[in-house]
Amino acid sequence: MKYPRYASLIMITLFAISARAQDSLLHLVYTVKAGKYTRHNTIISHPVQPKEGAVYQLYLVEGKKKTPVLSQTGNGRIAWNLGADLLPGKTRTFELWTNTKDALASNATEAVTVDNTAEGFTVKRGAETVLFYQAAIKDVPAGVDTAFRRGGFIHPAYTPGGKVLTNIQPKDHYHHYGIWNPWTDTEFEGQTIDFWNLKKLSGTVRVNFESNRNRSVSGPVWGGFLQVQDHVVLGKGTPDKTAIKEELEVTAYCGTKDVLIWDYNSKLTCGTASPIILKEYRYGGGFGFRGAEKWNNENSAVLTSEGKTRKDGDMTHARWFKITGALKGGQGGILVLSSPKNFNAPQPLRIWPEKDQNGQVFAEFSPTKDKAWKLEPGNDYLQEYRVITFDGDLTAEQAEAYWNDYAHPPEVVAKAKKTK
């Protein structure tokens, strides 16, 4: 089955120029408050309901100086990049005008774009490729059991400099697929189902190409895609059943210095009238990451928010983990932030110790590692993560600052104005 070309989400972009422009009106004044934290590479997002037919432009206000700022609306929100660092306790003011005569033109070299093909989604920021999401079934190497075939994963994920961070179908674990999140030990309608270990032919994850929820978005501030994935119980003489429906939404952002930033948000719902229990188990389900093929216990390092490493990180809880190592073309790495709203937060970690698996790198937020989770029909269950990729390295202090910005976003106060 060919992967459909989904139409981009219809958006109102705030840099558009209207042929019917009327007198300029000041619509809203936004005051952004840094609060307790230094704000760096910060994306601002705030609810907004655009008026039909109006043309909008956002300005940074510094005294009497007003500088146009790229912004974007969609899903009932307006988003823009805060710009220069904002220190603790400081504020920054923006004005949103309608029908202004000097609307800012989009800079296509910085926009986030999404290319849809029969294989999946390629997300780019300007000329830089952020990641590729493999929707179509990925075949296995010659001679490998075809039970290991699957789609619905991210590989490659890149640093800003184009270095590859992920690995798929490694010989030690053919069922490892870059960045992915199947559940391992579950109970569904009286059966024990494993969606992770594909060779068991118990369960798998399939991309749902037919869902009307699937979409992609490109824009001057953010872009990405939403893809429905079905967690399928494989029938043995009976029809397959979708035990979990998952909406995976990946959103990348523009304007961030020296790093790529993207969100990986998963919404789970029951696929039938039956609940499913995600049983306590050491692997599976949150955010799984198989590290670059080149990485081993001598040329890479893992650090968690609690100061743990590969020596002592497994079975601990953390707000973030960071992996840095030698890659083709130089050093680079990935920082993964787990939302404080996630189940069992701060979440448990599965990290391969240094001497395991010939030193290869695997790390995962595994929310059910020490606590079962029952999903009931009619409810939504969210798992949200933010990913920062980088060349070189980040310090623990920088990683903590990114987590604070994500977990405790700046306060935005909006006041309506109707003055000409």
Short mmCIF file of all heavy atoms in Angstrom, two decimals, residues 76-122:
data_model
loop_
_atom_site.label_atom_id
_atom_site.label_comp_id
_atom_site.label_asym_id
_atom_site.label_seq_id
_atom_site.Cartn_x
_atom_site.Cartn_y
_atom_site.Cartn_z
N GLY A 76 -5.32 26.35 17.16
CA GLY A 76 -5.81 27.28 18.16
C GLY A 76 -4.75 27.98 18.98
O GLY A 76 -5.03 28.52 20.06
N ARG A 77 -3.50 27.99 18.46
CA ARG A 77 -2.41 28.62 19.21
C ARG A 77 -1.56 29.48 18.28
O ARG A 77 -1.52 29.24 17.07
CB ARG A 77 -1.53 27.57 19.90
CG ARG A 77 -2.29 26.61 20.80
CD ARG A 77 -1.36 25.73 21.61
NE ARG A 77 -0.68 26.46 22.67
CZ ARG A 77 -1.21 26.73 23.86
NH1 ARG A 77 -2.43 26.37 24.14
NH2 ARG A 77 -0.52 27.38 24.77
N ILE A 78 -0.88 30.44 18.86
CA ILE A 78 0.13 31.21 18.15
C ILE A 78 1.48 30.85 18.76
O ILE A 78 1.61 30.68 19.97
CB ILE A 78 -0.12 32.74 18.25
CG1 ILE A 78 0.98 33.50 17.49
CG2 ILE A 78 -0.22 33.21 19.69
CD1 ILE A 78 0.71 35.01 17.39
N ALA A 79 2.48 30.69 17.91
CA ALA A 79 3.82 30.31 18.37
C ALA A 79 4.86 31.20 17.72
O ALA A 79 4.71 31.62 16.57
CB ALA A 79 4.10 28.84 18.06
N TRP A 80 5.91 31.49 18.48
CA TRP A 80 7.05 32.21 17.94
C TRP A 80 8.27 31.92 18.79
O TRP A 80 8.17 31.38 19.90
CB TRP A 80 6.78 33.72 17.87
CG TRP A 80 6.70 34.46 19.19
CD1 TRP A 80 7.71 35.10 19.85
CD2 TRP A 80 5.53 34.65 20.01
NE1 TRP A 80 7.26 35.67 21.02
CE2 TRP A 80 5.92 35.42 21.13
CE3 TRP A 80 4.19 34.25 19.90
CZ2 TRP A 80 5.03 35.79 22.14
CZ3 TRP A 80 3.30 34.62 20.91
CH2 TRP A 80 3.72 35.37 22.01
N ASN A 81 9.44 32.26 18.26
CA ASN A 81 10.68 32.07 19.01
C ASN A 81 10.95 33.31 19.84
O ASN A 81 10.88 34.44 19.34
CB ASN A 81 11.85 31.82 18.05
CG ASN A 81 13.09 31.34 18.76
OD1 ASN A 81 13.71 32.10 19.50
ND2 ASN A 81 13.45 30.09 18.56
N LEU A 82 11.25 33.11 21.12
CA LEU A 82 11.47 34.24 22.03
C LEU A 82 12.64 35.10 21.60
O LEU A 82 12.69 36.30 21.89
CB LEU A 82 11.68 33.71 23.45
CG LEU A 82 11.90 34.73 24.56
CD1 LEU A 82 10.68 35.66 24.68
CD2 LEU A 82 12.18 34.04 25.89
N GLY A 83 13.60 34.50 20.90
CA GLY A 83 14.76 35.27 20.44
C GLY A 83 15.90 35.21 21.44
O GLY A 83 16.19 34.14 22.00
N ALA A 84 16.54 36.34 21.69
CA ALA A 84 17.71 36.38 22.58
C ALA A 84 17.34 35.87 23.97
O ALA A 84 16.18 35.89 24.38
CB ALA A 84 18.23 37.82 22.67
N ASP A 85 18.35 35.39 24.71
CA ASP A 85 18.13 34.87 26.06
C ASP A 85 17.42 35.91 26.93
O ASP A 85 17.69 37.12 26.83
CB ASP A 85 19.46 34.50 26.71
CG ASP A 85 20.08 33.26 26.08
OD1 ASP A 85 19.51 32.72 25.11
OD2 ASP A 85 21.16 32.84 26.56
N LEU A 86 16.54 35.42 27.78
CA LEU A 86 15.82 36.27 28.73
C LEU A 86 16.19 35.81 30.13
O LEU A 86 15.97 34.64 30.49
CB LEU A 86 14.31 36.16 28.50
CG LEU A 86 13.42 37.12 29.28
CD1 LEU A 86 13.72 38.57 28.90
CD2 LEU A 86 11.95 36.79 29.03
N LEU A 87 16.77 36.69 30.93
CA LEU A 87 17.29 36.33 32.24
C LEU A 87 16.19 36.20 33.28
O LEU A 87 15.09 36.75 33.10
CB LEU A 87 18.32 37.38 32.69
CG LEU A 87 19.56 37.52 31.81
CD1 LEU A 87 20.47 38.62 32.34
CD2 LEU A 87 20.30 36.19 31.71
N PRO A 88 16.44 35.48 34.38
CA PRO A 88 15.42 35.31 35.41
C PRO A 88 14.88 36.66 35.91
O PRO A 88 15.63 37.61 36.09
CB PRO A 88 16.19 34.58 36.53
CG PRO A 88 17.28 33.85 35.82
CD PRO A 88 17.69 34.75 34.69
N GLY A 89 13.58 36.71 36.09
CA GLY A 89 12.94 37.91 36.60
C GLY A 89 12.65 38.97 35.55
O GLY A 89 11.96 39.95 35.83
N LYS A 90 13.15 38.80 34.33
CA LYS A 90 12.97 39.80 33.28
C LYS A 90 11.71 39.49 32.46
O LYS A 90 11.17 38.39 32.48
CB LYS A 90 14.18 39.84 32.36
CG LYS A 90 15.49 40.21 33.07
CD LYS A 90 15.43 41.62 33.63
CE LYS A 90 16.77 42.02 34.24
NZ LYS A 90 16.72 43.40 34.79
N THR A 91 11.26 40.50 31.72
CA THR A 91 10.10 40.35 30.84
C THR A 91 10.44 40.84 29.44
O THR A 91 11.42 41.56 29.24
CB THR A 91 8.89 41.15 31.36
OG1 THR A 91 9.20 42.55 31.35
CG2 THR A 91 8.51 40.71 32.77
N ARG A 92 9.62 40.42 28.48
CA ARG A 92 9.77 40.89 27.11
C ARG A 92 8.36 41.11 26.54
O ARG A 92 7.45 40.31 26.81
CB ARG A 92 10.54 39.87 26.28
CG ARG A 92 10.94 40.38 24.88
CD ARG A 92 11.99 39.47 24.26
NE ARG A 92 13.25 39.56 24.99
CZ ARG A 92 14.23 38.66 24.92
NH1 ARG A 92 14.09 37.60 24.14
NH2 ARG A 92 15.34 38.82 25.61
N THR A 93 8.21 42.17 25.77
CA THR A 93 6.89 42.56 25.27
C THR A 93 6.78 42.39 23.76
O THR A 93 7.71 42.72 23.02
CB THR A 93 6.59 44.03 25.63
OG1 THR A 93 6.66 44.18 27.06
CG2 THR A 93 5.20 44.44 25.15
N PHE A 94 5.66 41.86 23.34
CA PHE A 94 5.36 41.69 21.92
C PHE A 94 3.95 42.26 21.65
O PHE A 94 3.09 42.21 22.52
CB PHE A 94 5.38 40.21 21.52
CG PHE A 94 6.71 39.55 21.69
CD1 PHE A 94 7.11 39.04 22.92
CD2 PHE A 94 7.59 39.45 20.62
CE1 PHE A 94 8.34 38.42 23.08
CE2 PHE A 94 8.83 38.84 20.77
CZ PHE A 94 9.20 38.33 22.00
N GLU A 95 3.77 42.78 20.47
CA GLU A 95 2.46 43.27 20.05
C GLU A 95 2.01 42.51 18.81
O GLU A 95 2.80 42.29 17.88
CB GLU A 95 2.50 44.76 19.74
CG GLU A 95 2.71 45.64 20.97
CD GLU A 95 2.73 47.12 20.64
OE1 GLU A 95 2.70 47.47 19.43
OE2 GLU A 95 2.78 47.92 21.59
N LEU A 96 0.74 42.15 18.81
CA LEU A 96 0.14 41.48 17.66
C LEU A 96 -0.81 42.47 16.98
O LEU A 96 -1.79 42.92 17.58
CB LEU A 96 -0.62 40.23 18.10
CG LEU A 96 -1.25 39.39 16.99
CD1 LEU A 96 -0.18 38.86 16.04
CD2 LEU A 96 -2.05 38.24 17.58
N TRP A 97 -0.48 42.82 15.74
CA TRP A 97 -1.27 43.79 14.97
C TRP A 97 -2.01 43.08 13.85
O TRP A 97 -1.56 42.07 13.31
CB TRP A 97 -0.36 44.86 14.38
CG TRP A 97 0.15 45.85 15.38
CD1 TRP A 97 1.08 45.64 16.36
CD2 TRP A 97 -0.24 47.21 15.51
NE1 TRP A 97 1.30 46.77 17.09
CE2 TRP A 97 0.49 47.78 16.59
CE3 TRP A 97 -1.15 48.03 14.81
CZ2 TRP A 97 0.36 49.09 16.99
CZ3 TRP A 97 -1.28 49.36 15.21
CH2 TRP A 97 -0.54 49.88 16.29
N THR A 98 -3.16 43.67 13.49
CA THR A 98 -3.88 43.20 12.31
C THR A 98 -3.74 44.21 11.19
O THR A 98 -3.65 45.41 11.42
CB THR A 98 -5.38 43.02 12.62
OG1 THR A 98 -5.95 44.28 12.95
CG2 THR A 98 -5.59 42.05 13.75
N ASN A 99 -3.69 43.66 9.97
CA ASN A 99 -3.72 44.48 8.75
C ASN A 99 -2.59 45.51 8.69
O ASN A 99 -2.76 46.59 8.16
CB ASN A 99 -5.08 45.18 8.60
CG ASN A 99 -6.21 44.18 8.54
OD1 ASN A 99 -6.07 43.13 7.92
ND2 ASN A 99 -7.31 44.48 9.19
N THR A 100 -1.43 45.16 9.26
CA THR A 100 -0.29 46.05 9.17
C THR A 100 0.24 46.07 7.74
O THR A 100 0.14 45.09 7.01
CB THR A 100 0.81 45.63 10.15
OG1 THR A 100 1.89 46.56 10.05
CG2 THR A 100 1.31 44.23 9.87
N LYS A 101 0.83 47.19 7.35
CA LYS A 101 1.30 47.33 5.97
C LYS A 101 2.70 46.76 5.75
O LYS A 101 3.16 46.65 4.62
CB LYS A 101 1.28 48.81 5.57
CG LYS A 101 -0.13 49.39 5.54
CD LYS A 101 -0.11 50.86 5.17
CE LYS A 101 -1.53 51.44 5.16
NZ LYS A 101 -1.53 52.89 4.84
N ASP A 102 3.42 46.44 6.84
CA ASP A 102 4.79 45.93 6.68
C ASP A 102 4.91 44.51 7.21
O ASP A 102 5.81 44.18 7.95
CB ASP A 102 5.80 46.85 7.36
CG ASP A 102 5.55 46.98 8.87
OD1 ASP A 102 4.46 46.61 9.32
OD2 ASP A 102 6.46 47.43 9.56
N ALA A 103 3.95 43.66 6.84
CA ALA A 103 3.98 42.27 7.29
C ALA A 103 5.29 41.61 6.87
O ALA A 103 5.79 41.81 5.77
CB ALA A 103 2.80 41.51 6.72
N LEU A 104 5.84 40.79 7.77
CA LEU A 104 7.15 40.18 7.56
C LEU A 104 7.04 39.00 6.61
O LEU A 104 6.18 38.14 6.75
CB LEU A 104 7.71 39.71 8.90
CG LEU A 104 9.14 39.18 8.93
CD1 LEU A 104 10.11 40.29 8.59
CD2 LEU A 104 9.45 38.61 10.31
N ALA A 105 7.93 38.96 5.65
CA ALA A 105 7.97 37.83 4.71
C ALA A 105 8.68 36.64 5.34
O ALA A 105 9.62 36.80 6.10
CB ALA A 105 8.68 38.24 3.42
N SER A 106 8.22 35.46 5.03
CA SER A 106 8.83 34.24 5.55
C SER A 106 10.22 34.03 4.94
O SER A 106 10.43 34.27 3.76
CB SER A 106 7.95 33.04 5.24
OG SER A 106 8.60 31.84 5.54
N ASN A 107 11.13 33.56 5.77
CA ASN A 107 12.46 33.19 5.29
C ASN A 107 12.47 31.68 5.05
O ASN A 107 12.56 30.90 6.00
CB ASN A 107 13.52 33.59 6.32
CG ASN A 107 14.93 33.28 5.85
OD1 ASN A 107 15.13 32.64 4.82
ND2 ASN A 107 15.91 33.74 6.59
N ALA A 108 12.34 31.28 3.80
CA ALA A 108 12.21 29.86 3.48
C ALA A 108 13.42 29.05 3.90
O ALA A 108 13.33 27.84 4.10
CB ALA A 108 11.95 29.70 1.99
N THR A 109 14.58 29.69 4.02
CA THR A 109 15.79 28.95 4.39
C THR A 109 15.76 28.51 5.85
O THR A 109 16.58 27.71 6.27
CB THR A 109 17.05 29.79 4.14
OG1 THR A 109 17.00 30.97 4.98
CG2 THR A 109 17.15 30.20 2.70
N GLU A 110 14.83 29.05 6.66
CA GLU A 110 14.76 28.68 8.07
C GLU A 110 13.49 27.91 8.41
O GLU A 110 13.36 27.41 9.52
CB GLU A 110 14.81 29.96 8.94
CG GLU A 110 16.14 30.68 8.89
CD GLU A 110 17.28 29.83 9.45
OE1 GLU A 110 17.04 29.05 10.38
OE2 GLU A 110 18.41 29.93 8.93
N ALA A 111 12.55 27.81 7.50
CA ALA A 111 11.26 27.19 7.79
C ALA A 111 11.41 25.69 8.05
O ALA A 111 12.34 25.04 7.58
CB ALA A 111 10.29 27.42 6.64
N VAL A 112 10.47 25.15 8.83
CA VAL A 112 10.37 23.70 8.99
C VAL A 112 9.46 23.17 7.89
O VAL A 112 8.32 23.62 7.73
CB VAL A 112 9.80 23.33 10.37
CG1 VAL A 112 9.61 21.82 10.47
CG2 VAL A 112 10.72 23.80 11.48
N THR A 113 9.98 22.23 7.13
CA THR A 113 9.21 21.63 6.05
C THR A 113 9.12 20.13 6.24
O THR A 113 10.03 19.51 6.83
CB THR A 113 9.84 21.93 4.68
OG1 THR A 113 11.20 21.44 4.66
CG2 THR A 113 9.83 23.42 4.38
N VAL A 114 8.04 19.56 5.75
CA VAL A 114 7.83 18.11 5.84
C VAL A 114 7.57 17.57 4.45
O VAL A 114 6.66 18.02 3.75
CB VAL A 114 6.65 17.78 6.76
CG1 VAL A 114 6.47 16.26 6.87
CG2 VAL A 114 6.85 18.38 8.15
N ASP A 115 8.39 16.62 4.04
CA ASP A 115 8.25 15.99 2.74
C ASP A 115 7.61 14.62 2.93
O ASP A 115 8.13 13.78 3.67
CB ASP A 115 9.63 15.85 2.08
CG ASP A 115 9.55 15.21 0.70
OD1 ASP A 115 8.50 15.37 0.04
OD2 ASP A 115 10.52 14.55 0.29
N ASN A 116 6.46 14.39 2.29
CA ASN A 116 5.74 13.13 2.39
C ASN A 116 6.04 12.27 1.16
O ASN A 116 5.87 12.72 0.04
CB ASN A 116 4.23 13.35 2.45
CG ASN A 116 3.82 14.28 3.57
OD1 ASN A 116 4.62 14.60 4.43
ND2 ASN A 116 2.57 14.68 3.56
N THR A 117 6.47 11.04 1.39
CA THR A 117 6.70 10.11 0.30
C THR A 117 6.03 8.78 0.63
O THR A 117 5.43 8.62 1.70
CB THR A 117 8.20 9.86 0.08
OG1 THR A 117 8.73 9.10 1.19
CG2 THR A 117 8.98 11.17 -0.04
N ALA A 118 6.15 7.82 -0.26
CA ALA A 118 5.60 6.50 -0.01
C ALA A 118 6.28 5.82 1.17
O ALA A 118 5.72 4.91 1.78
CB ALA A 118 5.75 5.63 -1.26
N GLU A 119 7.48 6.26 1.52
CA GLU A 119 8.21 5.66 2.64
C GLU A 119 7.85 6.28 3.98
O GLU A 119 7.84 5.61 5.00
CB GLU A 119 9.71 5.77 2.40
CG GLU A 119 10.23 4.92 1.28
CD GLU A 119 10.04 3.43 1.56
OE1 GLU A 119 10.49 2.96 2.61
OE2 GLU A 119 9.41 2.76 0.72
N GLY A 120 7.60 7.61 4.00
CA GLY A 120 7.31 8.25 5.28
C GLY A 120 7.52 9.75 5.22
O GLY A 120 7.40 10.37 4.16
N PHE A 121 7.86 10.33 6.37
CA PHE A 121 8.00 11.77 6.51
C PHE A 121 9.47 12.16 6.71
O PHE A 121 10.14 11.61 7.60
CB PHE A 121 7.24 12.29 7.73
CG PHE A 121 5.75 12.10 7.67
CD1 PHE A 121 5.15 11.12 8.43
CD2 PHE A 121 4.96 12.92 6.88
CE1 PHE A 121 3.77 10.95 8.41
CE2 PHE A 121 3.59 12.77 6.84
CZ PHE A 121 2.98 11.77 7.61
N THR A 122 9.97 13.11 5.92
CA THR A 122 11.27 13.72 6.16
C THR A 122 11.02 15.13 6.70
O THR A 122 10.39 15.94 6.03
CB THR A 122 12.11 13.80 4.89
OG1 THR A 122 12.33 12.48 4.38
CG2 THR A 122 13.46 14.45 5.17
#
